[in-house]
Amino acid sequence: MSARGEQVEIAKSKGPDELLSWNDIQKMKYTWNVACEAMRLSPPSQGAFREVTTELIYLGVTIPKGWKAYWTVASTHKNPKYFPDPEKFDPSRFEGSGPAPYTFVPFGGGPRMCPGKEYARLEILTFIHNVVTKFKWEKVNPNEKILFNLAPTPQNGFPIHLEPLKKN
């Protein structure tokens, strides 16, 4: 099933003005896989600084205790050891138990995981549901370039035309 198909099925089960329920959100498994794959390829955060707590040797280089190290999300999200063909968009990577722990970390991991992860999931899925089921949309500029500063940014802000769908 596609993310759109999943959303259409949920919309069909609702009354004309009935809002999404938590059960509806729980049914959006494929849509969440699509969102996760999008975040894997273009993470919401690019990385973080961490303090080295114990001197270590990495690839023959000694990194002293106390130094600050910058870790990038892409170094994990695009590692072919964990994500074969890492540049390919493939939501099926998130089926079943999904990626190994600490290989997909758009919200961080362990004790530093973003406390708003589930709220972000709810917000993302609600947004996708409403855009897919209530609007027909198309890119104004299909060839718009993506700029990479701290976060991937469409060069022209990604303008789109929104047109309410006609109710059946």
Side-chain angles (χ1 to χ4, degrees):
M1 176 177 283
S2 70
R4 176 164 170 58
E6 190 173 73
Q7 298 310 314
V8 169
E9 286 299 312
I10 291 168
K12 283 181 183 176
S13 73
K14 311 301 279 177
D17 294 320
E18 191 178 353
L19 300 175
L20 289 172
S21 68
W22 182 245
N23 285 337
D24 296 325
I25 297 295
Q26 297 302 96
K27 292 176 188 173
M28 297 182 191
K29 293 181 183 343
Y30 186 76
T31 303
W32 184 240
N33 290 352
V34 169
C36 287
E37 183 67 345
M39 288 187 286
R40 184 188 70 79
L41 289 168
S42 292
S45 172
Q46 298 305 304
F49 282 99
R50 293 289 184 258
E51 185 172 326
V52 177
T53 57
T54 306
E55 179 175 289
L56 63 106
I57 298 173
Y58 180 74
L59 298 176
V61 176
T62 300
I63 302 173
K65 176 181 178 177
W67 274 30
K68 304 290 188 250
Y70 186 76
W71 161 80
T72 62
V73 177
S75 64
T76 301
H77 285 188
K78 294 189 178 179
N79 185 331
K81 177 179 175 182
Y82 305 113
F83 299 100
D85 199 3
E87 296 297 327
K88 180 182 177 190
F89 186 84
D90 181 7
S92 71
R93 299 175 198 274
F94 295 90
E95 291 174 356
S97 60
Y102 297 101
T103 61
F104 175 66
V105 289
F107 299 102
R112 294 179 182 241
M113 181 173 289
C114 175
K117 176 188 175 198
E118 284 305 307
Y119 177 71
R121 179 175 166 262
L122 177 68
E123 194 173 32
I124 289 165
L125 292 172
T126 301
F127 173 80
I128 290 172
H129 176 79
N130 285 302
V131 167
V132 166
T133 61
K134 296 182 177 170
F135 296 95
K136 174 186 173 205
W137 61 281
E138 64 181 86
K139 292 167 63 174
V140 171
N141 179 359
N143 299 314
E144 182 175 9
K145 303 284 186 241
I146 301 294
L147 306 175
F148 287 90
N149 294 320
L150 288 177
T153 308
Q155 182 177 358
N156 299 314
F158 196 72
I160 61 173
H161 287 291
L162 282 177
E163 181 181 325
L165 292 173
K166 295 175 175 47
K167 291 186 179 182
N168 294 337

